[in-house]
């Protein structure tokens, strides 16, 4: 395990934004490929929308019930789980995946990521 706090935070930030950048840059192409091109705007705009209110809501929960560092960890685990479910839905349904099957999981993922 890495002992230096600065190095640990640097690695964490790199991994966080590497994963974020990896799926954001390829998501539009994937959605167009599976026939959801008309919904690409919804996928990208939900991220901006939830970033307006989720930090405040999670902050309230963290201030009252859970230590902030644990809440951040829980939020990121939930974001990963919902993104994995969105990926699973995409893989399970292939090119016939619908907006209703994949969007709720994606929206919850970015909500907890924010």
């Amino acid at each position: 395990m890495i002992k230096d706090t600065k190095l640990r935070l640097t690695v964490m930030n790199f991994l966080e934004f590497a994963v974020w950048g990896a799926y954001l840059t390829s998501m539009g192409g994937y959605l167009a490929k599976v026939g959801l091109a008309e919904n690409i705007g919804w996928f990208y705009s939900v991220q901006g929308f939830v970033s307006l209110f989720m930090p405040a809501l999670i902050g309230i929960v963290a201030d009252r019930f859970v230590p902030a560092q644990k809440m951040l960890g829980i939020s990121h685990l939930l974001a990963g789980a919902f993104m994995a479910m969105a990926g699973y839905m995409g893989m399970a349904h292939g090119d016939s995946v619908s907006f209703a099957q994949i969007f709720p999981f994606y929206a919850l993922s970015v909500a907890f990521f924010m």
Side-chain angles (χ1 to χ4, degrees):
M1 180 157 211
I2 302 170
K3 299 282 185 200
D4 182 27
T5 303
K6 185 176 180 180
L7 181 62
R8 288 172 54 193
L9 289 172
T10 301
V11 169
M12 181 195 69
N13 278 329
F14 172 77
L15 291 174
E16 181 176 359
F17 289 108
V19 168
W20 197 20
Y23 81 79
L24 281 177
T25 56
S26 59
M27 185 171 60
Y30 167 75
L31 292 171
K33 178 183 162 257
V34 297
L36 295 174
E38 67 277 0
N39 296 311
I40 290 174
W42 282 104
F43 281 85
Y44 284 110
S45 64
V46 73
Q47 193 159 357
F49 179 71
V50 298
S51 70
L52 294 173
F53 64 87
M54 281 305 284
L57 292 176
I58 295 296
I60 291 169
V61 171
D63 285 344
R64 294 182 185 253
F65 306 110
V66 182
Q69 65 273 20
K70 288 184 180 180
M71 192 72 233
L72 185 62
I74 291 167
S75 293
H76 277 77
L77 286 173
L78 286 171
F82 285 123
M83 186 60 74
M85 284 302 299
Y88 173 77
M89 294 302 279
M91 287 176 30
H93 296 283
D95 289 347
S96 64
V97 68
S98 71
F99 180 78
Q101 291 169 324
I102 200 169
F103 185 74
F105 293 117
Y106 176 77
L108 287 168
S109 174
V110 296
F112 281 105
F113 183 81
M114 290 295 143

